[in-house]
Amino acid sequence: MSSFPASAGPITRFVDHNYRHFNAASLKDAALGYRAHLDAGGKMFMTIAGAMSTAELGLSLAEMIRQDKVHAICCTGANLEEDIFNLVAHDHYERVPNYRDLTPADEQDLLDRHMNRVTDTCIPEMEAMRRIEAVVLEEWVAADQAGERYFPHEFMYRILRSGKLVDSYQIDPKNSWMIAAMEKNLPMFVPGWEDATLGNMYAGHCISGDVKNVHTVRTGIEYMTELASWYSENSKPLTEDSGSIGFFQIGGGIAGDFPICVVPMLHQDLQRPEVPLWGYFCQISDSTTSYGSYSGAVPNEKITWGKLGVKTPKYIVESDASIVAPLIFSCVLGW
């Protein structure tokens, strides 16, 4: 029996009526489980892989953050910066519907125009990447000269709070999940930031000497220690077998693997067995289970690593996250 409220909007009602089997049923079950976890007083930790910001996930994720349906985020450096790229350069983006038909020469033409392609969407280098670089470089240099150190997301929060970009906004700021996160001062963790565009730029400025101390931007190990502290402070048992923090994973890779490991680290490396396991788990992925792929691993495998328990509610939706995530968010929001 559905537990969506009778007052739910048309998207939620559509899912409730039509999504009855296979991946569709998994999507519906995951949304119901998400709502049940929050209704029981739990919190939700979200991980974002891929290029979901360029897919404009902010159209639904921002409202999830504003309504306290998300309590912390772990994302790749690409997702951190690409939401802000879209914020200031949306009108200059180009969509390439026939991207599968592009020849190497077509790709070279895009490069020559400084249009960096992400599947069917081209990000304009000058209007997006270089504009943000100029603003964040001021923050890097100022922090460096003052002997201060901040995490990658903290530098992004600082430039958003400063108002330096406001005149460049090209979308409604309510559709930027980074603005919503900044306004909530949402806890955020960005492992592997070094491989993002701004991470590459930061390395270049360290090499050129603009930034003297490479550790002006704090590191991934420091992110893990912060996550351990956050998880320990916020996880309180709902039952004997589940903790109050759920784990909603979009895609796989480092965005998902890095934070989920905090629980076995606390248990096994710090000998804190009283810390609860994750209390809900959902992954959206179209990766196959093969060659030891983490992204394609089924949730039960995580029991053997001390990440989930036998009774932890577990869901996996084997589909395209750009389709599935907004639908689940809509059901959680009651749209």
Side-chain angles (χ1 to χ4, degrees), residues 249-263:
Q249 179 176 330
I250 299 174
I254 193 171
D257 196 26
F258 177 89
I260 204 170
C261 290
V262 72
V263 172

Side-chain angles (χ1 to χ4, degrees), residues 96 98-113 115 117:
V96 187
N98 62 334
Y99 68 92
R100 292 181 179 84
D101 300 327
L102 294 177
T103 67
D106 293 330
E107 305 281 19
Q108 182 64 47
D109 289 341
L110 290 172
L111 173 63
D112 292 342
R113 295 197 296 116
M115 299 298 292
R117 185 170 68 82

Side-chain angles (χ1 to χ4, degrees), residues 296-330:
V298 297
N300 280 351
E301 182 178 297
K302 294 171 176 57
I303 295 173
T304 72
W305 290 88
K307 301 169 182 175
L308 304 178
V310 172
K311 297 181 181 179
T312 306
K314 307 173 190 69
Y315 310 92
I316 184 166
V317 186
E318 296 177 306
S319 188
D320 184 330
S322 68
I323 298 171
V324 171
L327 282 173
I328 291 180
F329 294 170
S330 295

Side-chain angles (χ1 to χ4, degrees), residues 35-105:
R35 293 177 64 102
H37 182 80
L38 296 182
D39 289 344
K43 295 183 177 180
M44 192 62 72
F45 188 98
M46 185 166 294
T47 78
I48 311 173
M52 294 301 295
S53 289
T54 293
E56 299 192 67
L57 187 65
L59 290 164
S60 54
L61 178 57
E63 188 63 19
M64 290 280 286
I65 294 170
R66 282 191 290 270
Q67 292 196 25
D68 296 318
K69 309 297 187 185
V70 178
H71 301 87
I73 286 177
C74 181
C75 70
T76 56
N79 279 300
L80 182 75
E81 64 197 18
E82 287 179 14
D83 182 79
I84 302 177
F85 292 166
N86 180 63
L87 175 67
V88 302
H90 179 80
D91 295 347
H92 299 278
Y93 278 54
E94 292 183 15
R95 186 161 178 262
V96 187
N98 62 334
Y99 68 92
R100 292 181 179 84
D101 300 327
L102 294 177
T103 67

